[in-house]
Amino acid sequence: MHHDANLTAERPTFVTHLECSLTGERYEADRLHGLSKAGRPLLVRYDLAAAGAALNPGTLADRPADLWRYRELLPVRHARNIVSLGETMTPIVPLPTVGGALGAPNLWVKDEGRLPTGSFKARGLVMAVAMAKELGVTTIAMPTNGNAGAAAAAYAARAGMEAVIFCPADTPEVNVREIAAQGARVYRVNGYIDDCGKLVGQGAKERGWFDLSTLKEPYRIEGKKTMGLELAEQLGWELPDVIFYPTGGGTGLIGMWKAFAEMEALGWIGPKRPRMVAVQAEGCAPIVRAWAAGERHATRWEDAHTIAMGIRVPQAVGDFLILDAVRESGGFACAVSDAAIEQAVDDAARQDGLLLCPEGGATLAAWREAMAQGLVGPQETVLLFNCATGLKYPLPDRSRTLDRHAPIDWAEL
Ligand SMILES: *Cc1c(COP(=O)(O)O)cnc(C)c1O
């Protein structure tokens, strides 16, 4: 099989229609869509019986190991509209020392930092941009805390589209520069990500930009869904007992939950589901608050603050989808402090050599907390999500200097 067969071979998609996630109302496929009339995300639906006749675990095993090998379960209809920067299958890396310290031999990290632009935002944005291309869009716009904008800018450049990106003024410098370096017009805005989202909405009206905000168009979920397909395939079509997901807009959690349902309908997995844990930061935990209160919808979190910028999302349009999945799975939502996040990042790097991003560190901190409370057992298989490379974040300066002209006390080095 040729290395780029997933990108070049014509393969059918089995999309039938889209559906409002709240009301179930049907929408036509192969059209540009934003939110449903009810103001909620649209979900893409497939003829899974037909897809299952065309694709199975055996055919998948013979395909190159990238995200596009699930083509029959993705919305892009024509190979010419595929964009790609090499969306590789990401490894599942054990944390033997950090896990071993709590007597847990099955603590694993799905390391999404290996993807193009260094974060799992590539999964969602590659699909959203490919669909935008297929449907004739020339300018995309989105709000971002950093990583989504970087992925959008990269894929827009690849697809020959313009990108206009708005980010909170305190977004890390490296992210803002990365977005600009990849050709997008990027603006720092004195507000939060949802304030930036309002500007995108206005720009969409004023200038005809296509709004790629999280869950406001239907295809980012389909890209993020590949995390669920991929981890099942990697684990021999067995799902882990528990998944810890750092939750901002929740696209990945919602996407994986959708993937599990589709795989069960295809007969690739049974009814067993992981307990889904939505992890947030204490300084911005609207989903945790709604979960604890037994609510299906979350209210906006005021004065949001955390070092884990990717999960600093005061309000999520897919709140009920996150909360429904967490509840149906028997999971829970929990918030961790910035101090616990920093400790987790430090421990994973020093003890197991894996440099997590702060959001990934949040999942490790949450697992430790859950172990302490007896919510997760030491023998359970646990998958943490590290959503970006730790290299994209400011690191503490622990360097030392040495004067090579002065006498060196070797015993001190
Ligand atoms: C976007 C992002 C998240 C949150 O992902 P959602 O699916 O939007 O909840 C977590 N971590 C990092 C590093 C991110 O960039």
Side-chain angles (χ1 to χ4, degrees), residues 119-121 147 214 224 245-252 310-311 357 359 387-388 393:
S119 87
F120 71 175
K121 290 297 193 300
N147 289 323
T214 303
K224 281 277 191 85
Y245 187 81
T247 307
T251 338
I311 52 176
C357 62
E359 298 80 1
C387 308
Y393 296 78

Side-chain angles (χ1 to χ4, degrees), residues 7-92:
L7 311 179
T8 54
E10 287 301 341
R11 290 178 184 148
T13 174
F14 289 91
V15 172
T16 51
H17 64 283
L18 288 76
E19 220 171 74
C20 173
S21 55
L22 190 66
T23 65
E25 189 188 351
R26 278 176 81 105
Y27 291 75
E28 253 181 274
D30 306 301
R31 294 275 167 104
L32 274 181
H33 290 292
L35 293 171
S36 72
K37 282 182 212 135
R40 293 294 171 175
L42 290 174
L43 298 173
V44 182
R45 297 298 182 202
Y46 299 81
D47 178 348
L48 293 171
L55 186 69
N56 59 56
T59 42
L60 274 175
D62 290 333
R63 293 184 178 179
D66 66 43
L67 161 161
W68 289 105
R69 73 186 180 293
Y70 305 111
R71 282 269 296 286
E72 287 84 346
L73 299 172
L74 298 173
V76 179
R77 209 164 281 279
H78 304 289
R80 65 175 180 273
N81 296 318
I82 289 177
V83 289
S84 176
L85 292 165
E87 296 70 35
T88 185
M89 192 170 207
T90 62
I92 293 176

